[in-house]
Amino acid sequence: MSQLFSPLTIRNMTLKNRIVMSPMCMYSCEQKDGLVTNWHKTHYTSRAVGQAGLIMVEATAVTPQGRISERDLGIWHDGHIEGLSNLVGMVHEQNAKIGIQIAHAGRKSEVNGPIIAPSPIAFSNQSKTPEEMTLAQIRETIDAFVSAALRAKKAGFDVIEIHAAHGYLINQFLSPLANQRKDEYGGNPERRYRFLKEVIDGIRGVWDGPLFVRISANEYHPEGNGLEQYIQYARQMKNQGVDLIDCSSGGVVNFPVDAYPGYQVPYAEAIRRQADIRTAAVGLITEPFQAEEIIKNGRADLVFLARELLREPYWPRKAAKALGYELQPPKQYTRGW
């Protein structure tokens, strides 16, 4: 039997296979209100029809100021719950699970007005210089993540993923390249971890379902965090009740990345083995046998597909055919499957 199509149980959730639609920003809230649109419903549900086991909704902002762009999805007020709940229901109707990635962009936000970050360091010469967060702003932002988790729970999501990667706010706190604070939230690895620690603890206080964290396991800069540091952080996350580490890389600073098929899989494998925690592999995973090898050799527990699922919403059918697995189609598609 194909391991890619084997089920996986995490807490109270069982996935029918190991294929996950990776969170990808759609920048499709044309009214700039953060509300779910028909595009989101069509986009995500079509991949559930295509038989991905888990659909991860794109980075969804916990505050208006924390959006990457003004057209991002939001979860910063209760008015967002209804649309998200409708989306959850549509995906569940297709026998798939659905998660949401909650996020704050920090210094990489491109919204109008002031932006905030751990330290007043611009991402690039073309970026705005953020305001250094006060302790009160830090507390407010942690509370915003917890409130977002409560709204995700009310909307019926199966999974919450904390976005701590790609140079966004939590990643900024973790990285010495972006965090030059001298207080209890900076100065050494443990204090740089404190912001994420308090976000996890806060969410775990209101959410007992599967909790994922996406990380940038390599910042690619000689003065940034690398895999060894993230193995240590992963051990701490496991102790706090995190169920899975979603292993990406880069994005904290503009630094060249040598991207090739499966280039981030070794991060997922090392963290899985050395921190004894479930992991997901992501990044230029496109071929069925490539995905099968990752799962079968215990290099990761889930495979996150991003651009490949933009090109081919029915990629699981292609994979099943290649791997000799009999994948049941939606009943409406039986004649053509």
Side-chain angles (χ1 to χ4, degrees), residues 252-279:
V252 180
V253 292
N254 282 320
F255 207 78
V257 178
D258 181 18
Y260 52 87
Y263 71 105
Q264 294 172 152
V265 175
Y267 305 136
E269 183 174 15
I271 289 172
R272 187 178 191 269
R273 297 189 190 284
Q274 296 184 50
D276 191 26
I277 188 170
R278 290 188 178 98
T279 61

Side-chain angles (χ1 to χ4, degrees), residues 178-197:
N179 181 353
Q180 297 182 4
R181 300 177 72 95
K182 305 300 182 186
D183 62 6
E184 59 265 46
Y185 289 93
N188 63 39
E190 189 62 33
R191 292 202 296 266
R192 286 193 292 270
Y193 180 73
R194 181 173 175 175
F195 184 86
L196 175 55
K197 178 181 185 295

Side-chain angles (χ1 to χ4, degrees), residues 85-116:
S85 179
N86 290 339
L87 177 58
V88 167
M90 293 175 73
V91 169
H92 281 168
E93 285 176 1
Q94 305 307 320
N95 193 31
K97 303 298 185 183
I98 182 168
I100 187 167
Q101 186 185 69
I102 55 176
H104 190 297
R107 71 178 186 174
K108 294 182 85 171
S109 172
E110 296 180 1
V111 300
N112 292 324
I115 58 174
I116 57 174

Side-chain angles (χ1 to χ4, degrees), residues 6-21 52-56 88 91-92 95-100 156-161 204 207-213 242-245 278-280 301-302 304:
S6 64
L8 177 68
T9 298
I10 304 175
R11 291 188 184 253
N12 58 348
M13 175 190 73
T14 298
L15 301 176
K16 63 185 178 183
N17 60 47
R18 310 300 183 95
I19 302 166
V20 183
M21 180 182 185
L54 174 62
I55 306 296
M56 291 299 302
V88 167
V91 169
H92 281 168
N95 193 31
K97 303 298 185 183
I98 182 168
I100 187 167
F157 282 97
D158 302 294
V159 176
I160 292 174
E161 177 170 273
R204 264 288 166 239
W207 171 258
D208 59 4
L211 181 62
F212 298 179
V213 178
V242 170
D243 297 294
L244 180 142
I245 308 294
R278 290 188 178 98
T279 61
D301 298 273
L302 294 173
F304 278 47

Side-chain angles (χ1 to χ4, degrees), residues 23-25 56-62 66 68 72 100-106 108 145 160-172 174 195-196 199 203 211-216 246 248-251:
M24 293 172 280
C25 290
M56 291 299 302
V57 173
E58 65 204 75
T60 304
V62 301
I68 302 166
D72 287 3
I100 187 167
Q101 186 185 69
I102 55 176
H104 190 297
K108 294 182 85 171
F145 272 96
I160 292 174
E161 177 170 273
I162 300 167
H163 198 351
H166 300 165
Y168 298 123
L169 182 69
I170 296 177
N171 198 178
Q172 291 161 30
L174 292 170
F195 184 86
L196 175 55
V199 168
I203 290 174
L211 181 62
F212 298 179
V213 178
R214 173 164 276 195
I215 62 167
S216 282
D246 174 7
S248 190
S249 66

